[in-house]
Amino acid sequence: MPKFAANLSYLFKEYPFIERFAEAKASGFDAVEVLFPYDEAASEIARKLADHRLDMVLINMPPPNWAGGERGFAAMPATEDRFRKDFIRSIRFAKLLRAQHMHLMAGRAKGVVALETYKRNLAWAAKEAPEMSLVIEPLNETDMPGYFLNNFDMALEILDDISAPNLGLQFDAYHAQMITGDLFETWDKCKDYIRHVQIASAPERAEPRKGEIDYPAFFKHIDYSGYTGWVSAEYTPKKRTTEGLDWMQMPT
């Protein structure tokens, strides 16, 4: 059975953000991730992590304006100066939280210029922070129309082209199923590149129980493949978070 982390941007939203760390620990999680933790003081988040003996698995590099703005901008031409400035700020934050991975969001873009911009930014970031595990993640077109990185073949080609030891793949099982329709085949194709995993039911993006994905079989499959990293619950609970956590005890 994999080791599970809680995405505090999705789970335990019945509580103020800073109280979710305690709730995650009380519910059996030993690690958490936060999409964009930048509205809180890093010192306060770090204190909560220490108080509850939680690991910070992942944070995202901040897009310009998540509330109504672009979803990242690593692939958006003419934004390289801003990318570098925000990357340096994000790395400082990640180090204070001892985050294991940082996701660099591509943003909405298309075409050859966007691809070259994306690869140039990723290569620069990997060189700028060689001690940090950086990840990219394909997102499906239904949830993120126009998002540049929207398929796994492109992601693997980019990773091969850059070939940086600290740059890998964030594998979201929900997005993989939505993009390809075959989660298990996609995992097998990508497994050598995967640094971090996220889960939710498809197509609802709710608790990882019902839907198109057989999660007991998937958990067994990734264990068999040798994956030993965290598997983060990134879904929208149908009720209170604690009422839907029985999936953590599903037999495999």
Side-chain angles (χ1 to χ4, degrees):
M1 180 68 78
K3 53 184 184 179
F4 298 117
N7 185 307
L8 298 187
S9 299
Y10 278 78
L11 304 189
F12 305 104
K13 293 181 74 172
E14 304 90 349
Y15 303 92
F17 172 73
I18 210 65
E19 296 178 14
R20 297 174 197 171
F21 296 87
E23 296 301 323
K25 187 67 177 184
S27 297
F29 292 101
D30 291 321
V32 297
E33 65 179 27
V34 179
L35 298 185
F36 302 101
Y38 307 99
D39 289 337
E40 301 286 340
S43 58
E44 179 65 10
I45 297 175
R47 186 173 69 83
K48 290 296 182 182
L49 292 169
D51 286 349
H52 301 294
R53 290 179 293 175
L54 290 165
D55 291 332
M56 179 64 79
V57 179
L58 174 135
I59 65 173
N60 286 359
M61 181 174 162
N65 175 15
W66 182 258
E70 295 295 340
R71 274 32 177 177
F73 51 98
M76 295 174 64
T79 63
E80 290 179 67
D81 287 344
R82 182 165 188 173
F83 174 87
R84 296 186 180 199
K85 177 182 176 181
D86 279 8
F87 178 82
I88 291 170
R89 178 168 71 96
S90 299
I91 283 293
R92 293 193 189 112
F93 216 96
K95 287 181 178 179
L96 287 169
L97 302 184
R98 298 183 178 180
Q100 295 178 17
H101 310 288
M102 188 163 72
H103 172 207
L104 308 185
M105 298 195 74
R108 293 185 177 95
K110 62 181 180 179
V112 175
V113 175
L115 177 60
E116 293 305 314
T117 300
Y118 192 38
K119 291 197 291 187
R120 192 160 53 245
N121 280 334
L122 292 175
W124 175 86
K127 186 176 181 179
E128 181 70 15
E131 75 290 348
M132 187 72 203
S133 173
L134 306 175
V135 290
I136 60 175
E137 176 191 15
L139 303 180
N140 76 80
E141 285 280 355
T142 301
D143 290 312
M144 290 286 191
Y147 194 76
F148 180 74
L149 188 60
N150 57 17
N151 73 76
F152 285 87
D153 289 337
M154 178 194 294
L156 300 189
E157 288 174 7
I158 289 170
L159 293 174
D160 283 340
D161 285 348
I162 296 174
S163 191
N166 60 328
L167 181 64
L169 185 69
Q170 178 173 322
F171 187 93
D172 188 308
Y174 162 76
H175 284 292
Q177 180 65 23
M178 294 290 286
I179 291 170
T180 71
D182 192 332
L183 171 62
F184 289 81
E185 181 181 355
T186 307
W187 173 273
D188 290 342
K189 180 191 297 184
C190 298
K191 62 183 179 181
D192 292 337
Y193 300 79
I194 295 170
R195 302 281 179 85
H196 181 55
V197 176
Q198 294 170 325
I199 56 172
S201 67
E204 288 187 299
R205 203 170 191 178
E207 285 85 352
R209 287 194 302 261
K210 299 179 180 178
E212 298 176 7
I213 300 172
D214 180 346
Y215 268 109
F218 180 65
F219 294 154
K220 186 175 183 179
H221 191 75
I222 66 176
D223 280 346
Y224 182 77
S225 76
Y227 178 75
T228 59
W230 292 99
V231 174
S232 286
E234 188 191 51
Y235 62 83
T236 301
K238 289 187 174 182
K239 298 180 181 179
R240 291 181 63 85
T241 302
T242 53
E243 294 179 35
L245 291 178
D246 55 336
W247 59 266
M248 295 174 67
Q249 283 78 45
M250 289 190 300
T252 58

PDB file of all heavy atoms in Angstrom, residues 70-88:
ATOM      1  N   GLU A  70      -3.941  33.514 -15.120  1.00  0.00           N
ATOM      2  CA  GLU A  70      -3.368  32.392 -15.840  1.00  0.00           C
ATOM      3  C   GLU A  70      -2.882  31.306 -14.889  1.00  0.00           C
ATOM      4  O   GLU A  70      -2.441  31.588 -13.777  1.00  0.00           O
ATOM      5  CB  GLU A  70      -2.205  32.867 -16.714  1.00  0.00           C
ATOM      6  CG  GLU A  70      -2.610  33.816 -17.822  1.00  0.00           C
ATOM      7  CD  GLU A  70      -3.511  33.162 -18.852  1.00  0.00           C
ATOM      8  OE1 GLU A  70      -3.523  31.917 -18.929  1.00  0.00           O
ATOM      9  OE2 GLU A  70      -4.204  33.892 -19.566  1.00  0.00           O
ATOM     10  N   ARG A  71      -2.958  30.067 -15.339  1.00  0.00           N
ATOM     11  CA  ARG A  71      -2.507  28.928 -14.547  1.00  0.00           C
ATOM     12  C   ARG A  71      -1.031  28.674 -14.815  1.00  0.00           C
ATOM     13  O   ARG A  71      -0.639  27.730 -15.487  1.00  0.00           O
ATOM     14  CB  ARG A  71      -3.334  27.694 -14.881  1.00  0.00           C
ATOM     15  CG  ARG A  71      -4.641  27.493 -14.138  1.00  0.00           C
ATOM     16  CD  ARG A  71      -5.381  28.728 -13.743  1.00  0.00           C
ATOM     17  NE  ARG A  71      -6.649  28.388 -13.088  1.00  0.00           N
ATOM     18  CZ  ARG A  71      -7.469  29.277 -12.588  1.00  0.00           C
ATOM     19  NH1 ARG A  71      -7.173  30.568 -12.651  1.00  0.00           N
ATOM     20  NH2 ARG A  71      -8.592  28.919 -11.999  1.00  0.00           N
ATOM     21  N   GLY A  72      -0.190  29.529 -14.294  1.00  0.00           N
ATOM     22  CA  GLY A  72       1.235  29.415 -14.530  1.00  0.00           C
ATOM     23  C   GLY A  72       1.643  30.143 -15.793  1.00  0.00           C
ATOM     24  O   GLY A  72       0.804  30.615 -16.561  1.00  0.00           O
ATOM     25  N   PHE A  73       2.950  30.215 -16.008  1.00  0.00           N
ATOM     26  CA  PHE A  73       3.413  30.955 -17.178  1.00  0.00           C
ATOM     27  C   PHE A  73       4.782  30.513 -17.660  1.00  0.00           C
ATOM     28  O   PHE A  73       5.452  31.226 -18.400  1.00  0.00           O
ATOM     29  CB  PHE A  73       3.423  32.459 -16.896  1.00  0.00           C
ATOM     30  CG  PHE A  73       4.128  32.858 -15.629  1.00  0.00           C
ATOM     31  CD1 PHE A  73       5.429  33.313 -15.647  1.00  0.00           C
ATOM     32  CD2 PHE A  73       3.484  32.772 -14.420  1.00  0.00           C
ATOM     33  CE1 PHE A  73       6.075  33.676 -14.482  1.00  0.00           C
ATOM     34  CE2 PHE A  73       4.107  33.137 -13.248  1.00  0.00           C
ATOM     35  CZ  PHE A  73       5.419  33.592 -13.272  1.00  0.00           C
ATOM     36  N   ALA A  74       5.208  29.304 -17.305  1.00  0.00           N
ATOM     37  CA  ALA A  74       6.530  28.828 -17.722  1.00  0.00           C
ATOM     38  C   ALA A  74       6.641  28.665 -19.227  1.00  0.00           C
ATOM     39  O   ALA A  74       7.739  28.734 -19.791  1.00  0.00           O
ATOM     40  CB  ALA A  74       6.857  27.505 -17.034  1.00  0.00           C
ATOM     41  N   ALA A  75       5.517  28.438 -19.918  1.00  0.00           N
ATOM     42  CA  ALA A  75       5.537  28.273 -21.374  1.00  0.00           C
ATOM     43  C   ALA A  75       5.049  29.513 -22.112  1.00  0.00           C
ATOM     44  O   ALA A  75       4.974  29.488 -23.343  1.00  0.00           O
ATOM     45  CB  ALA A  75       4.678  27.077 -21.776  1.00  0.00           C
ATOM     46  N   MET A  76       4.747  30.557 -21.401  1.00  0.00           N
ATOM     47  CA  MET A  76       4.198  31.750 -22.040  1.00  0.00           C
ATOM     48  C   MET A  76       5.322  32.665 -22.519  1.00  0.00           C
ATOM     49  O   MET A  76       6.123  33.144 -21.712  1.00  0.00           O
ATOM     50  CB  MET A  76       3.279  32.492 -21.066  1.00  0.00           C
ATOM     51  CG  MET A  76       2.036  31.703 -20.681  1.00  0.00           C
ATOM     52  SD  MET A  76       1.038  32.520 -19.400  1.00  0.00           S
ATOM     53  CE  MET A  76       0.538  34.009 -20.300  1.00  0.00           C
ATOM     54  N   PRO A  77       5.424  32.900 -23.820  1.00  0.00           N
ATOM     55  CA  PRO A  77       6.479  33.768 -24.340  1.00  0.00           C
ATOM     56  C   PRO A  77       6.415  35.171 -23.730  1.00  0.00           C
ATOM     57  O   PRO A  77       5.356  35.640 -23.316  1.00  0.00           O
ATOM     58  CB  PRO A  77       6.186  33.811 -25.847  1.00  0.00           C
ATOM     59  CG  PRO A  77       5.434  32.546 -26.105  1.00  0.00           C
ATOM     60  CD  PRO A  77       4.602  32.310 -24.884  1.00  0.00           C
ATOM     61  N   ALA A  78       7.571  35.795 -23.658  1.00  0.00           N
ATOM     62  CA  ALA A  78       7.712  37.176 -23.167  1.00  0.00           C
ATOM     63  C   ALA A  78       7.469  37.308 -21.665  1.00  0.00           C
ATOM     64  O   ALA A  78       7.235  38.409 -21.173  1.00  0.00           O
ATOM     65  CB  ALA A  78       6.798  38.122 -23.933  1.00  0.00           C
ATOM     66  N   THR A  79       7.527  36.200 -20.941  1.00  0.00           N
ATOM     67  CA  THR A  79       7.379  36.277 -19.482  1.00  0.00           C
ATOM     68  C   THR A  79       8.588  35.679 -18.757  1.00  0.00           C
ATOM     69  O   THR A  79       8.519  35.384 -17.568  1.00  0.00           O
ATOM     70  CB  THR A  79       6.106  35.530 -19.013  1.00  0.00           C
ATOM     71  OG1 THR A  79       6.238  34.141 -19.326  1.00  0.00           O
ATOM     72  CG2 THR A  79       4.860  36.112 -19.661  1.00  0.00           C
ATOM     73  N   GLU A  80       9.699  35.518 -19.453  1.00  0.00           N
ATOM     74  CA  GLU A  80      10.844  34.829 -18.861  1.00  0.00           C
ATOM     75  C   GLU A  80      11.435  35.575 -17.671  1.00  0.00           C
ATOM     76  O   GLU A  80      11.850  34.960 -16.683  1.00  0.00           O
ATOM     77  CB  GLU A  80      11.904  34.568 -19.928  1.00  0.00           C
ATOM     78  CG  GLU A  80      11.453  33.503 -20.927  1.00  0.00           C
ATOM     79  CD  GLU A  80      12.468  33.240 -22.014  1.00  0.00           C
ATOM     80  OE1 GLU A  80      13.555  32.707 -21.692  1.00  0.00           O
ATOM     81  OE2 GLU A  80      12.195  33.562 -23.179  1.00  0.00           O
ATOM     82  N   ASP A  81      11.458  36.893 -17.724  1.00  0.00           N
ATOM     83  CA  ASP A  81      11.987  37.648 -16.593  1.00  0.00           C
ATOM     84  C   ASP A  81      11.138  37.426 -15.352  1.00  0.00           C
ATOM     85  O   ASP A  81      11.664  37.243 -14.247  1.00  0.00           O
ATOM     86  CB  ASP A  81      12.045  39.143 -16.925  1.00  0.00           C
ATOM     87  CG  ASP A  81      13.153  39.475 -17.908  1.00  0.00           C
ATOM     88  OD1 ASP A  81      14.046  38.625 -18.092  1.00  0.00           O
ATOM     89  OD2 ASP A  81      13.120  40.575 -18.480  1.00  0.00           O
ATOM     90  N   ARG A  82       9.828  37.435 -15.534  1.00  0.00           N
ATOM     91  CA  ARG A  82       8.946  37.207 -14.396  1.00  0.00           C
ATOM     92  C   ARG A  82       9.068  35.773 -13.894  1.00  0.00           C
ATOM     93  O   ARG A  82       9.051  35.529 -12.678  1.00  0.00           O
ATOM     94  CB  ARG A  82       7.498  37.498 -14.772  1.00  0.00           C
ATOM     95  CG  ARG A  82       6.562  37.323 -13.593  1.00  0.00           C
ATOM     96  CD  ARG A  82       5.216  37.921 -13.822  1.00  0.00           C
ATOM     97  NE  ARG A  82       4.444  37.881 -12.587  1.00  0.00           N
ATOM     98  CZ  ARG A  82       3.256  38.458 -12.423  1.00  0.00           C
ATOM     99  NH1 ARG A  82       2.719  39.138 -13.404  1.00  0.00           N
ATOM    100  NH2 ARG A  82       2.624  38.379 -11.278  1.00  0.00           N
ATOM    101  N   PHE A  83       9.186  34.829 -14.813  1.00  0.00           N
ATOM    102  CA  PHE A  83       9.362  33.440 -14.403  1.00  0.00           C
ATOM    103  C   PHE A  83      10.582  33.299 -13.496  1.00  0.00           C
ATOM    104  O   PHE A  83      10.515  32.677 -12.435  1.00  0.00           O
ATOM    105  CB  PHE A  83       9.512  32.536 -15.634  1.00  0.00           C
ATOM    106  CG  PHE A  83       9.842  31.113 -15.282  1.00  0.00           C
ATOM    107  CD1 PHE A  83       8.830  30.204 -15.005  1.00  0.00           C
ATOM    108  CD2 PHE A  83      11.161  30.681 -15.214  1.00  0.00           C
ATOM    109  CE1 PHE A  83       9.128  28.894 -14.650  1.00  0.00           C
ATOM    110  CE2 PHE A  83      11.472  29.373 -14.865  1.00  0.00           C
ATOM    111  CZ  PHE A  83      10.450  28.479 -14.587  1.00  0.00           C
ATOM    112  N   ARG A  84      11.681  33.890 -13.890  1.00  0.00           N
ATOM    113  CA  ARG A  84      12.908  33.759 -13.107  1.00  0.00           C
ATOM    114  C   ARG A  84      12.784  34.438 -11.743  1.00  0.00           C
ATOM    115  O   ARG A  84      13.233  33.892 -10.724  1.00  0.00           O
ATOM    116  CB  ARG A  84      14.089  34.314 -13.900  1.00  0.00           C
ATOM    117  CG  ARG A  84      14.356  33.513 -15.158  1.00  0.00           C
ATOM    118  CD  ARG A  84      15.599  33.948 -15.885  1.00  0.00           C
ATOM    119  NE  ARG A  84      15.806  33.132 -17.080  1.00  0.00           N
ATOM    120  CZ  ARG A  84      16.961  33.010 -17.723  1.00  0.00           C
ATOM    121  NH1 ARG A  84      18.019  33.687 -17.295  1.00  0.00           N
ATOM    122  NH2 ARG A  84      17.061  32.250 -18.787  1.00  0.00           N
ATOM    123  N   LYS A  85      12.179  35.587 -11.720  1.00  0.00           N
ATOM    124  CA  LYS A  85      11.991  36.305 -10.458  1.00  0.00           C
ATOM    125  C   LYS A  85      11.118  35.497  -9.507  1.00  0.00           C
ATOM    126  O   LYS A  85      11.445  35.320  -8.325  1.00  0.00           O
ATOM    127  CB  LYS A  85      11.356  37.668 -10.735  1.00  0.00           C
ATOM    128  CG  LYS A  85      11.050  38.469  -9.478  1.00  0.00           C
ATOM    129  CD  LYS A  85      10.378  39.791  -9.844  1.00  0.00           C
ATOM    130  CE  LYS A  85       9.968  40.557  -8.595  1.00  0.00           C
ATOM    131  NZ  LYS A  85       9.279  41.839  -8.943  1.00  0.00           N
ATOM    132  N   ASP A  86       9.990  34.989  -9.999  1.00  0.00           N
ATOM    133  CA  ASP A  86       9.087  34.236  -9.141  1.00  0.00           C
ATOM    134  C   ASP A  86       9.660  32.870  -8.772  1.00  0.00           C
ATOM    135  O   ASP A  86       9.373  32.346  -7.686  1.00  0.00           O
ATOM    136  CB  ASP A  86       7.726  34.062  -9.823  1.00  0.00           C
ATOM    137  CG  ASP A  86       6.849  35.294  -9.670  1.00  0.00           C
ATOM    138  OD1 ASP A  86       7.358  36.326  -9.178  1.00  0.00           O
ATOM    139  OD2 ASP A  86       5.672  35.247 -10.051  1.00  0.00           O
ATOM    140  N   PHE A  87      10.451  32.301  -9.657  1.00  0.00           N
ATOM    141  CA  PHE A  87      11.083  31.020  -9.337  1.00  0.00           C
ATOM    142  C   PHE A  87      12.008  31.172  -8.136  1.00  0.00           C
ATOM    143  O   PHE A  87      11.989  30.352  -7.206  1.00  0.00           O
ATOM    144  CB  PHE A  87      11.867  30.488 -10.537  1.00  0.00           C
ATOM    145  CG  PHE A  87      12.586  29.195 -10.248  1.00  0.00           C
ATOM    146  CD1 PHE A  87      11.906  27.996 -10.307  1.00  0.00           C
ATOM    147  CD2 PHE A  87      13.923  29.187  -9.909  1.00  0.00           C
ATOM    148  CE1 PHE A  87      12.551  26.802 -10.029  1.00  0.00           C
ATOM    149  CE2 PHE A  87      14.584  28.006  -9.631  1.00  0.00           C
ATOM    150  CZ  PHE A  87      13.901  26.802  -9.692  1.00  0.00           C
ATOM    151  N   ILE A  88      12.812  32.208  -8.132  1.00  0.00           N
ATOM    152  CA  ILE A  88      13.745  32.431  -7.021  1.00  0.00           C
ATOM    153  C   ILE A  88      12.982  32.636  -5.715  1.00  0.00           C
ATOM    154  O   ILE A  88      13.361  32.107  -4.666  1.00  0.00           O
ATOM    155  CB  ILE A  88      14.658  33.628  -7.340  1.00  0.00           C
ATOM    156  CG1 ILE A  88      15.614  33.251  -8.476  1.00  0.00           C
ATOM    157  CG2 ILE A  88      15.439  34.059  -6.099  1.00  0.00           C
ATOM    158  CD1 ILE A  88      16.405  34.400  -9.041  1.00  0.00           C
TER     159      ILE A  88
END
